[in-house]
Amino acid sequence: MMANGNTVDKILDAAQELFAERGFAETSLRMITSKAGVNLAAVNYHFGSKEALIQATFSRFLTPFSREFRDQLNAYIKLVGEENVDIAHMIAVLAASAQVVAERHEQSVAVFMRLMGLAYAQAQNHLREYLKEHYSDVFKPFMRTMKTACPEMTPIEWFWRIHFVLGTLAFTMSSVDSLQAMAANDLSVDSQFKDMISYLAKFVSAGLLAPAT
Amino acid sequence: MMANGNTVDKILDAAQELFAERGFAETSLRMITSKAGVNLAAVNYHFGSKEALIQATFSRFLTPFSREFRDQLNAYIKLVGEENVDIAHMIAVLAASAQVVAERHEQSVAVFMRLMGLAYAQAQNHLREYLKEHYSDVFKPFMRTMKTACPEMTPIEWFWRIHFVLGTLAFTMSSVDSLQAMAANDLSVDSQFKDMISYLAKFVSAGLLAPAT
DNA sequence: AACTGTTTGAAACATACGTTTGAAACCTAT
DNA sequence: ATAGGTTTCAAACGTATGTTTCAAACAGTT
């Protein structure tokens, strides 16, 4: 049996935190293994390569997350009916799913968000392809449902608007912790995750619902 | 005299393109110098270090751009009066300034945008500090003017909204070329830069102008 | 207790990186 | 034409990276 989850998880925990802090290229295997307290060779033994470790880091939280998100989204759609979905509420469902999964695994939702943001921003083609191959069938229905809640517009305008939304999400995800710190510093307000999500949902739904050009 | 602009510019041209394509950490000086057709040592001779080259790459276009943007923005504000500024139009001014500067230097505005997006996304603290130190006095008035055009809201909600806007801009910038390619592929439409900017301006101004929560 | 497959450990490997060196080539001004 | 400062060049330096190796330690089965 394989089953030695201890070393594997110690590596994943350390990798997840360091990747989120510093990015992929800027994090070496030696940093990861020394933070994890395991031997350097363990990464290549258990994962095969650094690329595979990066992918494993994502799938560890993305697989349960996408399941949770799919279920919560379907439940919401069943509840209100497809023609009555509300964009802001869908964003809230997205965030709630992330938070539920993070809590279930006793991990920081901010770290997950930052990783997702990095996946978009960093130049890791293998990662983008991996994510597309494994998780696109969860996010395509999400996009389709979003579209039904929007006013009629040309395909090209819809194309851009949905990518503006993804951009807002990705950026906010990737800097959520430093932004929260800024808010705490500059405004002496500790900005709750929940509040930020509701601001975000309001912002993108207003953008999506704006009358077509 | 120094004045040997030839090698310096060849290096900057190559660096700009490679940084935009692959990011900073993933681009080596050897890639840059071989693409530029100059000797490896030339980078350290002319710029001192890789960090300094990265900063020089930015200041080469950011200095003329921020001048142009400041002037165009002031002209617009003078024209309509401070209390009548329109958010979408300010975004359009931002984009127009970038395009004017790019054309003047016979370079791609998409490359500039992608570099700006990367500056946000990549973990280059020296770059962020450099940009903040040299260019914040152009963007602070821009933000202040934006605020006057928005409805009353709590400081914390304004804080988040303006960062959502920056996020949308940064993301769109950093992927403008691949998104345009996607649009051309998936929709058989070649999406003009101008059109995209007007969609973007509409989107973020709707988000900013949404009634406060 | 001895055998088996699995996991760890210290060390080395090959390669790539940013940077430095010192001599050659190049300019320009006298 | 020559001297002096500037720029280029090939080569090397030191360091850090991802990966591999192989022996030692471990765990479970008979």
Side-chain angles (χ1 to χ4, degrees), chain A residues 92-175:
Chain A
V93 167
L94 183 71
S97 304
Q99 206 168 19
V100 163
V101 173
E103 274 170 19
R104 186 183 305 152
H105 292 72
E106 297 175 349
Q107 282 171 336
S108 155
V109 67
V111 169
F112 290 171
M113 299 191 86
R114 174 137 176 86
L115 281 176
M116 283 307 299
L118 284 181
Y120 250 101
Q122 304 244 131
Q124 300 275 341
N125 280 338
H126 71 96
L127 221 200
R128 252 190 295 275
E129 276 165 37
Y130 175 84
L131 295 180
K132 188 175 172 186
E133 188 185 328
H134 289 78
Y135 301 102
S136 69
D137 55 333
V138 177
F139 291 96
K140 268 183 193 160
F142 168 66
M143 301 247 259
R144 197 165 28 76
T145 309
M146 290 273 274
K147 189 168 186 174
T148 67
C150 286
E152 285 289 331
M153 65 186 82
T154 61
I156 182 73
E157 181 153 22
W158 166 255
F159 170 87
W160 283 110
R161 283 195 186 179
I162 195 67
H163 280 100
F164 297 151
V165 172
L166 291 180
T168 313
L169 288 173
F171 176 80
T172 308
M173 284 175 176
S174 71
S175 25

Side-chain angles (χ1 to χ4, degrees), chain B residues 89-139:
Chain B
H89 198 273
M90 287 180 73
I91 301 289
V93 166
L94 184 71
S97 304
Q99 205 168 19
V100 163
V101 173
E103 275 170 18
R104 187 183 303 152
H105 293 70
E106 296 174 351
Q107 281 172 338
S108 155
V109 67
V111 169
F112 290 171
M113 298 191 88
R114 175 134 176 86
L115 281 175
M116 281 309 297
L118 283 181
Y120 249 100
Q122 304 245 134
Q124 300 275 340
N125 280 338
H126 71 97
L127 222 199
R128 251 190 295 275
E129 276 165 36
Y130 175 84
L131 296 180
K132 187 173 170 186
E133 187 183 332
H134 288 78
Y135 301 103
S136 70
D137 53 334
V138 177
F139 291 95

Side-chain angles (χ1 to χ4, degrees), chain A residues 26-54:
Chain A
E26 295 85 353
T27 302
S28 72
L29 294 186
R30 283 167 175 81
M31 291 177 199
I32 294 170
T33 52
S34 79
K35 175 171 184 133
V38 305
N39 189 271
L40 168 62
V43 169
N44 283 278
Y45 175 75
H46 286 288
F47 297 94
S49 68
K50 184 183 181 182
E51 279 198 2
L53 170 62
I54 294 174

Side-chain angles (χ1 to χ4, degrees), chain A residues 63-79:
Chain A
T63 298
F65 164 75
S66 63
R67 222 186 299 273
E68 177 76 24
F69 179 50
R70 171 173 35 74
D71 295 347
Q72 284 204 26
L73 194 61
N74 285 340
Y76 168 66
I77 294 172
K78 280 256 156 62
L79 185 67

